[in-house]
Amino acid sequence: MLNSHYYSSSYRRDIDALRGISIILVVAFHAFPEWIPGGFVGVDVFFVISGFLITSIILKQIENNTFSFWEFYQRRIRRLFPALLTVLITGMVLGWLFLFPSEYERLSKHIVRSIFFVQNFRLIAESGYFDIESHLKPFLHLWSLSIEEQYYLLWPALLFAILIKVKKHRFALLLAAISVLVIASFAANVICLSECIKPRKVFFHSLTRFWELGLGSLLAILLRNHNKKPNDLILTPFQSNLLFLAGIFSILFSAFYITPESSFPGWFALLPTLGAMAVILAHVRLPYWGGLVQVGLISYPLYLWHWLLISFLYIYMGPPPLAALITAIFVSILLSILTTRYIEKLRYAKNARTPIYLLAVAFLVAAIAKYIEKNDGLPNRAHIAYVNSIYKQLELIPATDAACENYIQLFHKQKRIFDHCRTSFSSQKTPKNNLIALIGDSHALSLFPGIAKIAQQHGFDTILLSNSGCPPLLGFKRIKVSFNRRRTKKQISLCEAKKEQILSIIENEKRIQKVIFTTRGPFYLHGEIKGEITKGSVLESLGTTINSVHLFTEGFNKTFHLLNKTGHVKRVYYILENPELDFNPKTAIKRPFDYFDFSSYGRKISTELYDLRMKNYRKIVRKAASMFPKISVISVTPFLCDDKECYFQKNGNILYRDDDHFSVPGSHYIAEKLSPIIFSDK
């Protein structure tokens, strides 16, 4: 029978066990995502638990006339800040020791936002939760804490207003209020996944997550009302056990069935959240929980510690070995036990000023972090000064310049709509020399510094005409661009217009004698390689076709045909895709105190796997080029690979800016290697 044990102060072992299951799923996902691909649903379970407990407590206090906003937020400060500040300060110290300036600046931004519980909004402006960059953000996981506290800021006030100010039909009004919140938030979540410009950002937004906490609140309200009439709802032991098993199955099934590629949260999020509601409703009383209760008791500090350690492992040594990950988990468990035993004791301190002291420390930490952020991550730290010159090599180059804009408008009488427009004739309205046109996608942009330099050495000016994710392949329409079909149609239409503008400039500019053409070819056929580059992941990518092979092939045929028949274009050089990395090259820069050369761990590129990845794409390009005498296909393999491995650094320079684009030194290196080929027929 559902009676007062739901609302009494008696301890709920089943909820702590549920917490234990949730944190195990989250930690396992962060450490071994290939084993438990949907372990991140543990956070959704936490949301339901939090909504249920906080609403149950507030309802009871309001009914007993003991509720106080000051007391409520005092308890939140005592509960959250001791462990949170400990972890944030630890992260700040580790950052000072090991992080490069841009990383330390970003870490400091995240510290400030985490203290004020708006970290989720900061992450909305950054990359997604599941991409490779997520491992380089030690406080990424605090987005969920921000959402909880934003809910706790709004929901208690609404509860209080309804229960205190409203005299009649309070329960109905309260039920309506939470139902509207849940439905509106869930609807926003589902709609935005398919309609919003950045659907993945739904993962972090409060308005698309409040429904999960709201489900817990809804359950607490319904059970609180039934408490007054205990015979209205009766669960037999069999029904309770069946409901419990169904809930656990739903949570575990979602942890193994849902993946980072799923449209999540969306409808998929109902699996873990309804499962959590079922477990709470069942309220089974097992005599033995197999250690889950003990894990649940340290779940909050374990959530804080584990990702900090795992993230710094990735930062320091790239994808870490299994032994390092297991060690990090054991250390985080140990730190969580110590945090629970010694630091979280402050939540029980009798000193009334403890919350004030905690807030003062929080503001001090935020001020220090803001200082670090404003000072660009303290680049003058003595032990990391060596990295400043290396980082300059990896900076993004501008996508446009004024000379190119003027050239397009004055000479071609049109407004530029394509993405990248750079020239080597920076102070002139039109080029004085013959031109080399560099076309393609973002790979063309990354090659521009090197090509422009060698072209000038041979008496040519260079003009860059390219797009991001929209290679000038006539008739090839990249379908899988976004989750939003209407937006995809607009993107396709705009991409076609950009291509036409670029190719019309080449047709009409008589000074263009050579065209260098490069794209991220295999990506448009097979998409990204998932995770680490292995034979299995490459074969999986080859087995996936994300766009039409026929249109892709026709795109090369039509574009090569157009360039081949353009009389003033003497030669066209198509440069095949360079090897892709499965790590961020910035992480390969030697870290301070790296006495064991961890920076080189696991950072290898197999020539065999690179050739396998290129197999289908190479066939298409070479077959198309063979039909047109002006077209030459150039492989960068001889310049970047030996028989076994391809390299990402040379002569002390890192050749890549990210996992597939050349850095400025990389563009100069490749351009020098290409120079004898491109200018042999001058």
Side-chain angles (χ1 to χ4, degrees), residues 399-548:
T400 62
D401 60 43
C404 191
E405 295 280 9
N406 292 335
Y407 168 76
I408 299 298
Q409 290 184 8
L410 296 176
F411 190 78
H412 292 278
K413 309 299 182 184
Q414 54 186 312
K415 183 179 179 181
R416 174 186 65 85
I417 61 173
F418 57 91
D419 299 336
H420 313 138
C421 187
R422 296 286 306 277
T423 65
S424 60
F425 45 94
S426 58
S427 61
Q428 305 162 27
K429 293 180 180 178
T430 57
K432 292 181 179 179
N433 303 316
N434 290 326
L435 278 173
I436 285 180
L438 178 58
I439 67 172
D441 55 15
S442 57
H443 280 219
L445 172 62
S446 70
L447 266 183
F448 176 77
I451 296 296
K453 181 179 178 181
I454 65 160
Q456 281 189 327
Q457 293 171 356
H458 289 84
F460 284 83
D461 281 321
T462 304
I463 183 165
L464 169 71
L465 312 166
S466 65
N467 296 301
S468 291
C470 174
L473 300 174
L474 291 172
F476 171 63
K477 297 180 180 180
R478 183 182 169 199
I479 303 301
K480 292 199 173 182
V481 180
S482 78
F483 294 101
N484 186 334
R485 291 182 180 178
R486 287 178 293 180
R487 180 172 174 259
T488 297
K489 289 180 181 178
K490 290 180 181 178
Q491 286 180 317
I492 291 173
S493 177
L494 179 59
C495 178
E496 293 302 300
K498 291 175 180 179
K499 294 178 192 178
E500 291 174 6
Q501 187 178 52
I502 288 172
L503 294 173
S504 71
I505 290 172
I506 293 175
E507 286 184 288
N508 294 312
E509 175 52 87
K510 305 299 183 184
R511 281 167 290 197
I512 295 177
Q513 292 191 1
K514 298 175 185 286
V515 175
I516 298 175
F517 189 178
T518 185
T519 73
R520 191 185 178 188
F523 168 75
Y524 300 111
L525 268 182
H526 305 299
E528 298 270 7
I529 296 177
K530 297 177 183 178
E532 185 180 354
I533 296 178
T534 63
K535 188 170 184 178
S537 63
V538 174
L539 287 173
E540 182 182 355
S541 75
L542 292 177
T544 304
T545 303
I546 65 170
N547 288 297
S548 169

Side-chain angles (χ1 to χ4, degrees), residues 352-365:
R353 295 184 178 179
T354 297
I356 305 299
Y357 296 149
L358 289 170
L359 283 177
V361 174
F363 281 115
L364 177 61
V365 172

Side-chain angles (χ1 to χ4, degrees), residues 201-317:
K201 306 315 177 189
V202 175
F203 194 94
F204 293 118
H205 208 289
S206 312
L207 296 181
T208 55
R209 287 292 195 160
F210 275 177
W211 68 273
E212 296 178 298
L213 290 117
L215 284 179
S217 296
L218 178 63
L219 181 60
I221 293 167
L222 289 171
L223 294 180
R224 190 72 188 175
N225 183 61
H226 279 293
N227 179 47
K228 298 176 180 178
K229 299 178 181 179
N231 292 323
D232 285 356
L233 183 61
I234 298 175
L235 288 180
T236 65
F238 174 78
Q239 291 171 332
S240 179
N241 291 335
L242 188 63
L243 189 62
F244 171 78
L245 291 175
I248 293 296
F249 174 80
S250 181
I251 294 168
L252 295 180
F253 176 78
S254 63
F256 288 94
Y257 176 74
I258 297 171
T259 71
E261 286 72 40
S262 303
S263 295
F264 196 86
W267 293 98
F268 283 114
L270 289 174
L271 280 171
T273 51
L274 294 180
M277 291 180 73
V279 173
I280 295 171
L281 181 61
H283 194 186
V284 297
R285 304 189 182 193
L286 299 181
Y288 182 66
W289 287 92
L292 289 175
V293 173
Q294 286 70 28
V295 175
L297 290 172
I298 63 167
S299 59
Y300 173 55
L302 182 55
Y303 184 75
L304 297 178
W305 280 115
H306 84 280
W307 181 250
L308 177 73
L309 300 184
I310 290 174
S311 178
F312 268 99
L313 265 185
Y314 273 89
I315 289 170
Y316 205 72
M317 61 188 306

Side-chain angles (χ1 to χ4, degrees), residues 95-100 380-387 591-593:
W96 187 87
L97 289 171
F98 302 121
L99 295 187
F100 299 140
N380 296 321
R381 286 171 284 156
H383 63 288
I384 56 95
Y386 70 93
V387 81
R591 294 276 168 182
F593 318 113

